[in-house]
Amino acid sequence: MLEREVFHQYGIVIDQHNVKNSGYLLRTSDQSEFILRRALSEQESEFPWYVMVANFLNQQNEPTMLPIPSRRGKYIETIQNEAYVLYQKPYDRNNRIYHSDGSRLALFHRKAGNLLAAYNELPEIQPWQMRWQYRIDQLESFREELKNQTQPLREFDEWFIETFPYYSGLSENAIQYIVDCGIDMGMNPFQIRTLAFNRYTANYHRTSEGLFPNDLILDHPARDLAEWIRYEVVEGEGNFEGIRQFMWDYHERRTLTQMDWNLLYARLLFPLPYVETVEHYYSDGNLKEKEKSFVNLKQLVRREGEREEMYRLLFQELMGEYGKQMRRVDWLS
């Protein structure tokens, strides 16, 4: 029984529980609420950092789930034969001020930057171009294997083989852009760091009752800006006025530098949805998931012209004076 196992591991008496996403929402008699969430790639040694981040963000009026240790001092425990982590939900505060997506993200980046400024020995951010090059090289090697195999190709294989050179070219543009900008400005583009989201979208704060500290990573602020825009272009309505407003709302709270624009530009150039779709197709054995990946691939390819036009508008109209100083990619000029 779940309540019994939670009491045994944590000493917390649960009055009721409900299934919630990949875990459970737990309530006690005094109306305290907890989230029991499956552990994924987290390591036990990382949780002191997550606890510190959660406490700091809660103090800064950024509602964040607080990891709770078990009776034996561990954060990852076995419940119902699976690894789980228990989080205490932040208390609902009625004094929260409404901010637009752009303003809220900028304020979050500023608060997180203040936290990181107190630490001198933070790990270095692996440059984006190194991660991208590794993934593209893997896809290229696999494409060559497909071309040389003797058995018949599936339809997805044929689409992948045919479309990869175009997306590989986009990737090379993005990778070279970061390298060249670092040389032009004489600095490491990733010296500026904040707490960023694994994948930030317009829906994140609207559907979230609080942040999970282990969903945050050390990265450049431009990561979140680019992923918000990318989601709007690929998954949303791709409304240019909405994207323009998001960027200016952010800029009013945290001034964007030329390097911020450079990294935003490069990250949007990199065809991440295409890369992830192909990787997912070949790594997931589920037939329904493969069918979904194939549908996604065809949609991405067919909407490529819309994506290019949206990014062309974005770069031409939003960058202002910085745009005149930036390197240009010919096909977006």
Side-chain angles (χ1 to χ4, degrees):
M1 188 176 180
L2 180 65
E3 288 88 345
R4 185 181 302 160
E5 290 196 53
V6 170
F7 178 75
H8 174 73
Q9 297 285 19
Y10 298 96
I12 297 173
V13 178
I14 301 301
D15 267 14
Q16 63 182 104
H17 73 270
N18 302 100
V19 176
K20 187 177 181 69
N21 299 327
S22 58
Y24 300 92
L25 171 62
L26 313 176
R27 289 190 180 90
T28 62
S29 58
D30 65 357
Q31 298 305 303
S32 295
E33 292 186 325
F34 299 83
I35 298 290
L36 190 64
R37 190 192 199 199
R38 282 194 182 91
L40 299 175
S41 58
E42 299 94 340
Q43 300 295 318
E44 183 70 35
S45 60
E46 297 169 337
F47 277 90
W49 167 260
Y50 297 148
V51 169
M52 187 273 296
V53 168
N55 283 324
F56 175 83
L57 291 177
N58 280 319
Q59 291 168 9
Q60 297 295 314
N61 204 27
E62 292 285 349
T64 306
M65 306 292 179
L66 176 66
I68 301 297
S70 66
R71 283 174 159 175
R72 63 193 191 102
K74 299 294 183 181
Y75 289 94
I76 302 175
E77 285 290 5
T78 301
I79 304 284
Q80 296 183 335
N81 298 316
E82 292 192 68
Y84 278 93
V85 179
L86 184 69
Y87 300 86
Q88 184 168 16
K89 285 185 62 178
Y91 292 107
D92 188 29
R93 299 177 180 176
N94 296 321
N95 61 342
R96 281 189 235 165
I97 300 173
Y98 170 78
H99 294 290
S100 66
D101 284 345
S103 294
R104 188 168 185 178
L105 182 61
L107 289 170
F108 177 80
H109 284 165
R110 284 171 53 184
K111 293 172 185 177
N114 292 337
L115 169 65
L116 299 186
Y119 290 84
N120 297 321
E121 298 184 1
L122 292 170
E124 293 294 322
I125 298 173
Q126 185 184 36
W128 295 346
Q129 66 270 26
M130 292 177 63
R131 303 180 222 168
W132 296 345
Q133 189 67 64
Y134 175 76
R135 295 173 80 171
I136 290 298
D137 287 348
Q138 279 194 316
L139 291 186
E140 186 170 16
S141 296
F142 189 63
R143 178 175 179 265
E144 289 304 310
E145 290 178 17
L146 287 174
K147 289 168 62 178
N148 294 326
Q149 74 177 25
T150 55
Q151 59 264 46
L153 295 172
R154 294 163 293 188
E155 193 174 1
F156 188 97
D157 299 333
E158 294 172 348
W159 272 71
F160 168 48
I161 290 171
E162 184 176 346
T163 59
F164 179 76
Y166 171 78
Y167 288 98
S168 177
L170 292 184
S171 303
E172 290 304 319
N173 282 165
I175 291 166
Q176 194 59 46
Y177 197 86
I178 292 182
V179 172
D180 291 343
C181 289
I183 294 172
D184 290 346
M185 301 191 71
M187 63 177 290
N188 174 6
F190 299 100
Q191 287 176 334
I192 304 299
R193 292 175 290 185
T194 189
L195 292 176
F197 296 81
N198 277 314
R199 189 62 53 83
Y200 186 72
T201 73
N203 292 329
Y204 193 95
H205 282 298
R206 296 172 195 164
T207 59
S208 174
E209 299 174 275
L211 308 175
F212 284 92
N214 34 332
D215 287 345
L216 302 170
I217 59 175
L218 289 177
D219 210 334
H220 193 281
R223 176 193 183 101
D224 290 336
L225 293 170
E227 295 311 323
W228 190 96
I229 294 171
R230 195 196 309 278
Y231 182 86
E232 289 300 292
V233 173
V234 176
E235 302 289 344
E237 298 178 359
N239 181 281
F240 178 72
E241 291 304 318
I243 293 173
R244 185 211 300 269
Q245 191 62 52
F246 168 75
M247 291 302 301
W248 288 128
D249 287 348
Y250 184 96
H251 186 64
E252 284 184 349
R253 295 281 184 171
R254 180 185 172 273
T255 302
L256 290 162
T257 66
Q258 183 174 344
M259 186 55 78
D260 292 336
W261 283 113
N262 284 334
L263 291 179
L264 171 64
Y265 194 19
R267 192 168 183 95
L268 288 175
L269 285 176
F270 184 72
L272 185 62
Y274 174 86
V275 171
E276 289 184 334
T277 297
V278 175
E279 289 175 339
H280 185 66
Y281 179 89
Y282 288 115
S283 63
D284 197 309
N286 185 290
L287 289 178
K288 287 187 177 180
E289 287 298 314
K290 286 185 179 295
E291 290 172 6
K292 189 187 300 184
S293 293
F294 193 21
V295 170
N296 290 342
L297 177 65
K298 288 187 283 190
Q299 289 177 341
L300 284 170
V301 172
R302 288 165 180 164
R303 293 188 62 191
E304 188 60 35
E306 297 174 36
R307 187 188 76 94
E308 287 186 12
E309 182 59 27
M310 180 65 72
Y311 291 164
R312 185 179 291 110
L313 283 171
L314 176 70
F315 300 140
Q316 287 177 351
E317 295 197 23
L318 293 190
M319 291 186 179
E321 290 301 311
Y322 284 129
K324 298 176 183 177
Q325 305 168 37
M326 292 173 63
R327 287 177 174 266
R328 306 304 266 173
V329 174
D330 291 341
W331 56 270
L332 281 178
S333 299

